[in-house]
Amino acid sequence: MTITLCNGKGGSGKTTLSVLLGAALVEAGHQVALLDTDPQNTATRWIEEMQRSPDGAALQLAKEGGEYGALFIDTAPRLETVEVRDAIRRADVVVLVTSPSPADLFTSRDTAQLIHNEGAKDRSFVLFNQVQPGTILARDLEDLAQRIGLPAFKNTLRRRQAYQHAVLLGWKSLGNEAREELFKVALEIVGSVKQQSSKERKTQHAASAR
Ligand SMILES: Nc1ncnc2c1ncn2[C@@H]1O[C@H](COP(=O)(O)OP(=O)(O)OP(=O)(O)O)[C@@H](O)[C@H]1O
Ligand SMILES: [Mg+2]
């Protein structure tokens, strides 16, 4: 399955989450690779650095023609590029990563519009990142997702310093709570792809029965 993370807004957490959700799926037994389509090459450099750490990194960089159980595509914060459009079009699930701040709403809406234009609206979800429980901003996530124009994943990710360290130190540097949170989101993403394929199978079945 191909999972594209995007948002025209820089710094929303696309690269951090591509790497950490990828690592979570590796832990869950999937064969995972990351395709870095951002010319800044941040994900590439983080993974290379992780691979040098004593624990190594099971998450690999995607190779030309390689086949993987799950392929994460990290994208640049530039909606007008052909690479971002391609990454959206080829995805089984598109994850629009955003903070819960209303200040990010406009760029997230532009991103949702692009997703719509590329015909991927039915397989796209908002993932709220850097959520701080107990704050006013954390209360209205459903409303915010509605304004963005896409359904939101039920699970969200907190703002945690541990995530900042983990992109270089690897999965093993994370505590249980952080791991659990990443597993939940990663499995919800996988579940959304499975749900969609079963819907498609039912539609095909109904069509062939007619
Ligand atoms: N859940 C989180 N908790 C704490 N820090 C986070 C979290 N998610 C992202 N960050 C931090 O926010 C900053 C931006 O994250 P990241 O580079 O992943 O964003 P990006 O969307 O890939 O940015 P760009 O658009 O520039 O590629 C980084 O310093 C990262 O460590
Ligand atoms: Mg990035």
Side-chain angles (χ1 to χ4, degrees):
M1 74 188 79
T2 301
I3 303 155
T4 292
L5 284 85
C6 65
N7 195 334
K9 170 96 185 164
S12 61
K14 301 176 285 295
T15 306
T16 302
L17 300 188
S18 302
V19 169
L20 296 181
L21 293 171
L25 284 190
V26 169
E27 285 295 312
H30 293 257
Q31 208 209 353
V32 189
L34 187 146
L35 180 63
D36 184 4
T37 64
D38 186 346
Q40 292 181 101
N41 285 330
T42 311
T44 304
R45 288 186 257 181
W46 283 353
I47 290 175
E48 284 170 355
E49 189 64 36
M50 267 168 118
Q51 283 167 342
R52 275 194 285 271
S53 85
D55 290 334
L59 178 63
Q60 36 178 325
L61 286 163
K63 294 188 183 74
E64 187 81 41
E67 300 229 351
Y68 308 97
L71 178 70
F72 281 84
I73 308 186
D74 183 26
T75 59
R78 312 254 325 256
L79 296 181
E80 71 280 9
T81 63
V82 68
E83 287 80 7
V84 175
R85 286 165 196 269
D86 278 350
I88 290 174
R89 240 179 281 138
R90 66 182 280 198
D92 295 301
V93 56
V94 180
V95 181
L96 189 162
V97 180
T98 183
S99 86
S101 167
D104 294 349
L105 172 64
F106 298 103
T107 338
S108 292
R109 262 195 195 154
D110 293 344
T111 311
Q113 185 60 51
L114 176 70
I115 288 170
H116 199 207
N117 295 347
E118 297 303 326
K121 193 166 183 254
D122 294 343
R123 51 182 198 277
S124 301
F125 300 85
V126 175
L127 172 57
F128 287 107
N129 181 33
Q130 311 214 34
V131 175
Q132 292 178 284
T135 59
I136 293 173
L137 291 182
R139 269 190 231 149
D140 281 334
L141 298 184
E142 221 169 286
D143 176 61
L144 197 53
Q146 254 173 25
R147 287 165 185 240
I148 293 169
L150 290 174
F153 282 125
K154 178 168 65 63
N155 293 292
T156 62
L157 291 154
R158 287 171 75 148
R159 178 178 294 174
R160 292 179 194 269
Q161 251 187 33
Y163 291 151
Q164 302 185 344
H165 296 305
V167 292
L168 296 180
L169 300 178
W171 178 260
K172 293 198 171 104
S173 71
L174 290 169
N176 283 344
E177 224 182 278
R179 289 180 183 196
E180 195 62 30
E181 186 172 75
L182 287 164
F183 275 138
K184 282 187 183 157
V185 172
L187 296 179
E188 192 175 4
I189 293 174
V190 172
S192 77
V193 178
K194 287 192 177 148
Q195 221 170 9
Q196 194 187 298
S197 359
S198 106
K199 244 192 247 166
E200 275 164 16
R201 270 199 306 276
K202 277 187 194 147
T203 318
Q204 276 166 7
H205 194 70
S208 59
R210 257 186 245 130

